[in-house]
Amino acid sequence: MVRLRFYLDENVPVEVARQSRARGIDVVTGGDLGLLGATDQVHLATALKQERVLCTYDADFLHLVATGAEHAGIVFGQQETHYIGEWVNWLSLMHAVYRSEEMWNRVEYL
């Protein structure tokens, strides 16, 4: 089984990556890749190329998906209600349950 790998855009706190890595989950951030300030299209394309599920608070990604943009999966949260612990717990659960191919072009909501 190919485990999920995650890509956190710059809107998701870096602490989510740190805590997820401590649980053995493969996570990169836009900052890790030198992509702070990149367009949404660049973030989505990078996540797709690396076969990583994109994690974001940015609803613009949902609009890109609605226009048919291919992706390796998206996890969408709402900044006002989903905090670090919820992200870490959700990513841990997804990592344990889903294979990467099951997330292809799928959107999960926290």
Side-chain angles (χ1 to χ4, degrees), residues 5-7 28 33 35 45-53 72:
R5 301 177 329 138
F6 298 97
Y7 178 109
V28 297
L33 302 175
L35 293 176
T46 301
L48 175 62
K49 183 177 179 182
Q50 294 188 7
E51 297 183 3
R52 292 180 180 275
V53 174

Side-chain angles (χ1 to χ4, degrees), residues 40 72-73:
D40 293 341

Side-chain angles (χ1 to χ4, degrees), residues 83-103:
Y83 300 101
I84 292 168
E86 289 177 275
W87 273 104
V88 174
N89 289 335
W90 187 250
L91 297 183
S92 295
L93 176 63
M94 290 181 69
H95 185 260
V97 173
Y98 290 116
R99 296 182 317 242
S100 62
E101 57 271 13
E102 293 174 307
M103 283 301 296

Side-chain angles (χ1 to χ4, degrees), residues 22-38:
R23 294 182 180 199
I25 299 171
D26 185 343
V27 179
V28 297
T29 67
D32 295 336
L33 302 175
L35 293 176
L36 294 180

